[in-house]
């Protein structure tokens, strides 16, 4: 199966050696997506819902560039620094995932690399075969 990388220009892609998403055959994996703008600045400081919205925008772009979309998403992982933010973030998730109904995991961590981040989101997709 062919392996394709989806890069979005984040300088850490070359420094650390990671891709926003990797597609192998019909499988797409999108790693921990942080709430940052094109310049790497945190979006929505102090607001988990705004940060989640930005994460889902980035994931949507990665899905599209990988030849997919929200209908193909089979799993999301919502990672929070404060589990009490779960409802606000899940309300945002519903706007993107309500139709496909992927499985989901919600968890709390102590912190992220950038302490301004309240949420990171991961997603996996499987592109259905035609016919």
């Amino acid at each position: 199966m062919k392996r394709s990388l989806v890069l979005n220009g984040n300088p850490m892609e070359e420094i650390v050696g990671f891709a926003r998403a990797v597609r192998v055959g019909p499988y797409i994996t999108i790693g921990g997506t942080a709430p940052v703008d094109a310049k790497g600045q945190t979006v929505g400081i102090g607001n988990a819902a705004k940060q989640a919205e930005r994460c889902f925008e980035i994931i949507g772009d990665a899905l599209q560039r990988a030849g997919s979309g929200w209908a193909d998403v089979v799993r999301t992982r919502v990672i929070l620094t404060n589990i009490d933010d779960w409802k606000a973030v899940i309300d945002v998730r519903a706007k993107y995932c309500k139709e496909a109904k992927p499985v989901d995991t919600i968890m709390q961590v102590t912190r992220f690399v950038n302490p301004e981040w309240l949420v990171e989101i991961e997603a996996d997709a499987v592109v259905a075969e035609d016919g």
Side-chain angles (χ1 to χ4, degrees):
M1 283 190 262
K2 181 181 172 188
R3 184 175 191 268
S4 303
L5 302 179
V6 175
L7 306 174
N8 67 359
N10 184 318
M12 296 303 285
E13 290 173 341
E14 292 305 316
I15 294 168
V16 177
F18 81 93
R20 169 58 33 226
V22 175
R23 179 173 179 167
V24 178
Y27 306 101
I28 301 167
T29 300
I30 302 171
T33 302
V36 296
D37 63 19
K39 296 180 181 177
Q41 300 300 306
T42 302
V43 171
I45 294 173
N47 186 317
K50 285 184 181 178
Q51 290 193 2
E53 184 72 42
R54 180 62 185 142
C55 293
F56 282 108
E57 289 170 358
I58 295 167
I59 290 168
D61 177 67
L63 287 167
Q64 182 179 12
R65 290 190 292 126
S68 181
W70 289 105
D72 295 323
V73 174
V74 296
R75 172 183 285 280
T76 60
R77 290 173 201 85
V78 174
I79 309 161
L80 303 163
T81 58
N82 180 353
I83 200 68
D84 293 335
D85 288 334
W86 76 272
K87 178 72 168 98
V89 171
I90 290 303
D91 286 348
V92 174
R93 179 190 180 275
K95 293 191 306 186
Y96 294 89
C97 299
K98 197 166 189 170
E99 295 300 316
K101 293 182 176 40
V103 299
D104 187 52
T105 300
I106 304 169
M107 66 188 96
Q108 178 176 308
V109 296
T110 305
R111 63 169 279 196
F112 295 110
V113 172
N114 183 330
E116 294 175 334
W117 301 345
L118 304 175
V119 61
E120 280 196 22
I121 299 170
E122 298 180 343
D124 298 314
V126 179
V127 179
E129 293 181 30
D130 292 334

